[in-house]
Amino acid sequence: MKTLTVFAACLFVSGVSLAQTWTVDKSHSRVGFNVTHNLLAEVDGNFKTFDAKVISSKPDLSDAVLELTADVNSINTDNERRDGHLKGPDFFDAAKYPTLTFKSTSFKKVDAKKYTATGNLTMHGVTKPVTLDVTMVGPVKMKGMGGKEQEKVGFKIASSIKRSDFGIGTIPVVVVSDEVEVKASGEFVKQEGETADAKK
């Protein structure tokens, strides 16, 4: 009977995925984008308010799930008038659709530190599958503030999407490019004591 109990316990433990959560260090992270204006100049922007996390059950994060949310009303291109236009009905319509989200459904290694993260991107009330090119640096252990050892990992994203796929803006592409370059980077810190319950 004792042997049976131990065996059952082992089966239970083996069936539990010990997921680990990594939270974003916002002071060392950025969610940005780039478009071409009048077929001439590159215009950069970013979302000042955002949150992100990574969930993985493997130490090397090879099964990572990336989650991101951004406040559309925090869009910033260093031009107040342009920011107001982007938040309005002609583009993001932030009053109706205040949040942008992404959650990956697969994370595949391509080469060395290179990965592709495929998932669902939602903005302007439209959800579409997109594939992002990701560079992962780490994970590495280092001392943080106060000398406490922490495990960290860095993610860099450099991909492109089409604003027309999400119904953002009817302005001609000769004025504002349809293609939007996504440029994001994040430093994530491993949270101690998290398990599969963190996914719920």
Side-chain angles (χ1 to χ4, degrees):
M1 185 67 177
K2 184 177 180 181
T3 302
L4 182 61
T5 302
V6 172
F7 178 69
C10 289
L11 283 177
F12 175 76
V13 171
S14 65
V16 176
S17 176
L18 299 177
Q20 187 71 48
T21 299
W22 303 67
T23 57
V24 69
D25 177 355
K26 296 178 185 178
S27 62
H28 297 104
S29 303
R30 177 182 173 88
V31 178
F33 58 88
N34 174 283
V35 296
T36 303
H37 181 252
N38 285 342
L39 302 177
L40 298 171
E42 302 297 311
V43 177
D44 292 315
N46 69 288
F47 295 97
K48 288 185 173 181
T49 304
F50 64 90
D51 201 3
K53 66 180 178 180
V54 175
I55 298 174
S56 176
S57 61
K58 296 182 179 180
D60 63 356
L61 277 75
S62 58
D63 64 342
V65 175
L66 285 66
E67 297 185 24
L68 167 74
T69 61
D71 179 5
V72 175
N73 282 293
S74 72
I75 199 167
N76 171 49
T77 63
D78 290 326
N79 184 295
E80 189 174 338
R81 183 178 178 182
R82 180 168 58 215
D83 294 346
H85 192 194
L86 289 172
K87 296 174 192 176
D90 286 345
F91 284 95
F92 282 97
D93 201 356
K96 285 185 179 179
Y97 312 107
T99 307
L100 175 157
T101 65
F102 173 79
K103 183 175 182 179
S104 67
T105 53
S106 73
F107 189 68
K108 296 181 179 179
K109 189 169 186 175
V110 178
D111 180 42
K113 299 177 182 179
K114 304 292 184 180
Y115 293 78
T116 57
T118 299
N120 295 313
L121 174 63
T122 300
M123 58 182 179
H124 197 243
V126 178
T127 299
K128 294 272 187 180
V130 299
T131 298
L132 306 176
D133 297 321
V134 181
T135 300
M136 184 172 73
V137 181
V140 295
K141 290 185 178 181
M142 60 180 67
K143 288 187 177 180
M145 296 294 290
K148 182 180 179 181
E149 187 176 77
Q150 296 178 313
E151 195 165 0
K152 298 184 178 184
V153 66
F155 286 90
K156 297 178 183 178
I157 296 173
S159 296
S160 65
I161 60 173
K162 290 185 176 181
R163 61 183 175 89
S164 60
D165 287 344
F166 298 87
I168 297 177
T170 57
I171 291 179
V173 295
V174 294
V175 180
V176 178
S177 62
D178 188 26
E179 188 173 79
V180 179
E181 298 293 330
V182 179
K183 301 188 296 182
S185 62
E187 186 174 307
F188 293 80
V189 182
K190 184 179 181 180
Q191 301 302 297
E192 300 299 329
E194 298 281 351
T195 65
D197 292 335
K199 287 185 174 181
K200 299 178 182 179

